[in-house]
Amino acid sequence: MTVVIGILLALAVAVTWLSALALWRLPRALDRLHALAFLNVAASGLVTGAAFLSDGISGRSLKILVMMVIFVGWAAVLSHVSGRAVLMREGRSA
C-alpha cells in the first residue's frame, strides 16, 4: 500500500513540475491559466487519493477532501476572473 501512496505523491510532484514547465514555455497568459487549472485539479486529486489510501475514511482524510473541494472551486473562480481581466486588458470581450 505504501508503494501506491508513494507513486501517487510522486505523480503529484511530476504534475507540479510539468505545470511549471508549461508556465515557462506557453506564450500567452490565457494559455498559462490552463496549466494552472491542470495543476490545481490533478495535484489536489492525487494528494487526496494518497490521503484516503493512507488513512482510509477518517477525520483527517475527510478534512483533506473538504479542503480539496474548496480549493478546486476557489481556483476555478480565480481562473475565470483572471481570464476575464486578461481579455479586458487586451481589449477583447469574453
Side-chain angles (χ1 to χ4, degrees), residues 7-88:
I7 290 172
L8 286 175
L9 293 176
L11 283 172
V13 171
V15 163
T16 304
W17 278 104
L18 181 66
S19 295
L21 180 65
L23 285 173
W24 179 55
R25 296 288 297 159
L26 289 172
R28 296 180 345 156
L30 290 176
D31 296 333
R32 292 184 195 123
L33 280 174
H34 285 91
L36 289 176
F38 169 71
L39 172 65
N40 288 334
V41 172
S44 62
L46 288 167
V47 170
T48 303
F52 272 95
L53 285 177
S54 173
D55 289 348
I57 298 178
S58 67
R60 184 168 54 175
S61 60
L62 291 175
K63 286 178 191 176
I64 292 173
L65 178 65
V66 169
M67 287 189 313
M68 184 207 68
V69 169
I70 291 170
F71 181 71
V72 169
W74 187 245
V77 170
L78 289 177
S79 293
H80 177 77
V81 170
S82 299
R84 278 187 73 88
V86 167
L87 286 176
M88 288 175 67

